[in-house]
Each structure stands twice: as structure tokens, then as C-alpha cells.
Amino acid sequence: MARIQLAECREFMRAAQEKALEMGVPVSIAVVSAEGHLIALERMDDAGFITPDTARAKAYTVAAFRSMSPRFQDGLLIQQWFKERNPQMLINASVFTGGQIVVSGGCAPVFKDDEMVGAYGISGATSDQDEVIGRYAREKAGWAHKPATDDTPEDVKRHVNEIYAKVGLGDRAL
């Protein structure tokens, strides 16, 4: 069973902080295991006091939902899915997990080959900026946000691509 190592988390966090500094937005960054257990958490100077909890909750949410279904590719998709289908369920999920469920941009799963090994969450900027920071850091750290072998059913791909288009991310596609 593959795992995310702390050294990898540090590399990801350094890259995220580098991009956040370039953008002028202090953030917090969290990385969790595939089971949602915290591996690493850092708060940049001047990041809001609630951002560490939010970053961790974003990462936990992605780990929880992506482990259930390939339909949940990232925080933006999870957010849109609940918005369209059952917003009350999202509130309920947050309550019954003690506030561990938060959906927004700036979070995604992390894969090694075909195995989801964890997830990250970034909080402190706008959702779009958190997303830019995450993509940059993921690329620099060499983290994949999709499995190496795409076995996503065609109906799920179609659904995910429709959601990406609805939220203005038509440049993304499965």
C-alpha cells in the first residue's frame, strides 16, 4: 500500500507557499492520508486564524468523497454536486462529522499509480486562487490528482465534464 511521506508533503507545501507569496495571499495548507488522517498542516504568517481548520476540512472532504466515487474529482465538483442535488445533505454531513466537511476549490485527491494515497486542501485566498496554488504545487511536487489508469465509466465522465462546464472550468475534461 502506497503512502504519502512527510518529505513529499513538505515539498508540496513549499511550492504552495511559493505561489501564494507570488500572488500575495497568505494561506494554510493541509495534507491528509487516504483515510482522512492529518499528515501535515502549515499556516503562513498572516493567514486567517480559521484557515488551518478549513484547509484540513477541505482535504478530509476530498479524501472521504473521492474514496466513495470517481464522480468526486475535486472540491469544486463536490460543491456543485451537492448544490444541484441536496444542499441540506452537505450541511448534515458537516454536522455529523463535527465540521470536517467543507467544499470549495483548492483541494484534490493525490494518487500514486492507481491508488489514492491522500488529499490536500488550501485555504486563505479566494476559491479560484486556492485552486491555482494547488495546481502549481501539485505540478511542482509531481503529485497526480487522477489514477494512472482511467477506468472512470463514460456516464461519470460525461457528468463530471458537464459540471466543470457549469462552474466555468470547461478547459478541464476527464
Side-chain angles (χ1 to χ4, degrees), residues 31 66 87 133 140 160 163 170-171:
V31 180
R66 183 61 172 96
I133 293 165
K140 248 187 145 173
V160 167
I163 291 175
D171 61 324

PDB file of all heavy atoms in Angstrom, residues 31 66 87 133 140 160 163 170-171:
ATOM      1  N   VAL A  31      -2.473  18.356   4.349  1.00  0.00           N
ATOM      2  CA  VAL A  31      -2.413  17.104   3.594  1.00  0.00           C
ATOM      3  C   VAL A  31      -2.887  15.997   4.533  1.00  0.00           C
ATOM      4  O   VAL A  31      -2.447  15.928   5.687  1.00  0.00           O
ATOM      5  CB  VAL A  31      -0.990  16.797   3.092  1.00  0.00           C
ATOM      6  CG1 VAL A  31      -0.984  15.484   2.298  1.00  0.00           C
ATOM      7  CG2 VAL A  31      -0.446  17.934   2.240  1.00  0.00           C
ATOM      8  N   ARG A  66     -13.967  11.241  -2.552  1.00  0.00           N
ATOM      9  CA  ARG A  66     -13.288  10.603  -3.688  1.00  0.00           C
ATOM     10  C   ARG A  66     -13.114   9.113  -3.437  1.00  0.00           C
ATOM     11  O   ARG A  66     -13.170   8.315  -4.364  1.00  0.00           O
ATOM     12  CB  ARG A  66     -11.932  11.269  -3.948  1.00  0.00           C
ATOM     13  CG  ARG A  66     -11.200  10.714  -5.171  1.00  0.00           C
ATOM     14  CD  ARG A  66     -12.026  10.930  -6.435  1.00  0.00           C
ATOM     15  NE  ARG A  66     -11.301  10.585  -7.629  1.00  0.00           N
ATOM     16  CZ  ARG A  66     -11.399   9.406  -8.247  1.00  0.00           C
ATOM     17  NH1 ARG A  66     -12.147   8.460  -7.761  1.00  0.00           N
ATOM     18  NH2 ARG A  66     -10.736   9.179  -9.356  1.00  0.00           N
ATOM     19  N   PRO A  87     -28.397  20.261  -1.138  1.00  0.00           N
ATOM     20  CA  PRO A  87     -27.593  21.154  -0.298  1.00  0.00           C
ATOM     21  C   PRO A  87     -27.748  20.862   1.197  1.00  0.00           C
ATOM     22  O   PRO A  87     -26.794  20.993   1.959  1.00  0.00           O
ATOM     23  CB  PRO A  87     -28.106  22.551  -0.629  1.00  0.00           C
ATOM     24  CG  PRO A  87     -28.988  22.411  -1.809  1.00  0.00           C
ATOM     25  CD  PRO A  87     -29.331  20.977  -1.981  1.00  0.00           C
ATOM     26  N   ILE A 133      -3.092  27.845  -6.709  1.00  0.00           N
ATOM     27  CA  ILE A 133      -1.980  27.479  -5.816  1.00  0.00           C
ATOM     28  C   ILE A 133      -1.842  25.956  -5.753  1.00  0.00           C
ATOM     29  O   ILE A 133      -0.734  25.414  -5.852  1.00  0.00           O
ATOM     30  CB  ILE A 133      -2.182  28.088  -4.411  1.00  0.00           C
ATOM     31  CG1 ILE A 133      -2.076  29.617  -4.474  1.00  0.00           C
ATOM     32  CG2 ILE A 133      -1.181  27.509  -3.414  1.00  0.00           C
ATOM     33  CD1 ILE A 133      -2.601  30.336  -3.239  1.00  0.00           C
ATOM     34  N   LYS A 140       4.584  20.960  -9.215  1.00  0.00           N
ATOM     35  CA  LYS A 140       5.967  21.041  -8.732  1.00  0.00           C
ATOM     36  C   LYS A 140       6.367  19.833  -7.896  1.00  0.00           C
ATOM     37  O   LYS A 140       7.507  19.382  -7.952  1.00  0.00           O
ATOM     38  CB  LYS A 140       6.169  22.320  -7.929  1.00  0.00           C
ATOM     39  CG  LYS A 140       7.082  23.249  -8.680  1.00  0.00           C
ATOM     40  CD  LYS A 140       7.491  24.442  -7.942  1.00  0.00           C
ATOM     41  CE  LYS A 140       8.907  24.724  -8.358  1.00  0.00           C
ATOM     42  NZ  LYS A 140       9.412  25.935  -7.858  1.00  0.00           N
ATOM     43  N   VAL A 160     -19.191  14.592 -14.943  1.00  0.00           N
ATOM     44  CA  VAL A 160     -18.132  15.450 -14.398  1.00  0.00           C
ATOM     45  C   VAL A 160     -17.816  16.583 -15.364  1.00  0.00           C
ATOM     46  O   VAL A 160     -17.689  17.746 -14.960  1.00  0.00           O
ATOM     47  CB  VAL A 160     -16.873  14.611 -14.068  1.00  0.00           C
ATOM     48  CG1 VAL A 160     -15.668  15.505 -13.799  1.00  0.00           C
ATOM     49  CG2 VAL A 160     -17.136  13.692 -12.888  1.00  0.00           C
ATOM     50  N   ILE A 163     -20.391  19.261 -15.200  1.00  0.00           N
ATOM     51  CA  ILE A 163     -20.230  20.098 -14.006  1.00  0.00           C
ATOM     52  C   ILE A 163     -19.081  21.077 -14.204  1.00  0.00           C
ATOM     53  O   ILE A 163     -19.209  22.266 -13.894  1.00  0.00           O
ATOM     54  CB  ILE A 163     -20.029  19.238 -12.739  1.00  0.00           C
ATOM     55  CG1 ILE A 163     -21.323  18.492 -12.394  1.00  0.00           C
ATOM     56  CG2 ILE A 163     -19.587  20.110 -11.560  1.00  0.00           C
ATOM     57  CD1 ILE A 163     -21.213  17.528 -11.232  1.00  0.00           C
ATOM     58  N   GLY A 170     -14.532  24.773 -18.210  1.00  0.00           N
ATOM     59  CA  GLY A 170     -14.659  23.998 -19.438  1.00  0.00           C
ATOM     60  C   GLY A 170     -13.328  23.577 -20.024  1.00  0.00           C
ATOM     61  O   GLY A 170     -13.278  22.696 -20.880  1.00  0.00           O
ATOM     62  N   ASP A 171     -12.233  24.181 -19.546  1.00  0.00           N
ATOM     63  CA  ASP A 171     -10.910  23.781 -20.019  1.00  0.00           C
ATOM     64  C   ASP A 171     -10.474  22.448 -19.438  1.00  0.00           C
ATOM     65  O   ASP A 171      -9.529  21.830 -19.904  1.00  0.00           O
ATOM     66  CB  ASP A 171      -9.869  24.851 -19.703  1.00  0.00           C
ATOM     67  CG  ASP A 171      -9.712  25.108 -18.205  1.00  0.00           C
ATOM     68  OD1 ASP A 171     -10.729  25.053 -17.488  1.00  0.00           O
ATOM     69  OD2 ASP A 171      -8.573  25.377 -17.774  1.00  0.00           O
TER      70      ASP A 171
END
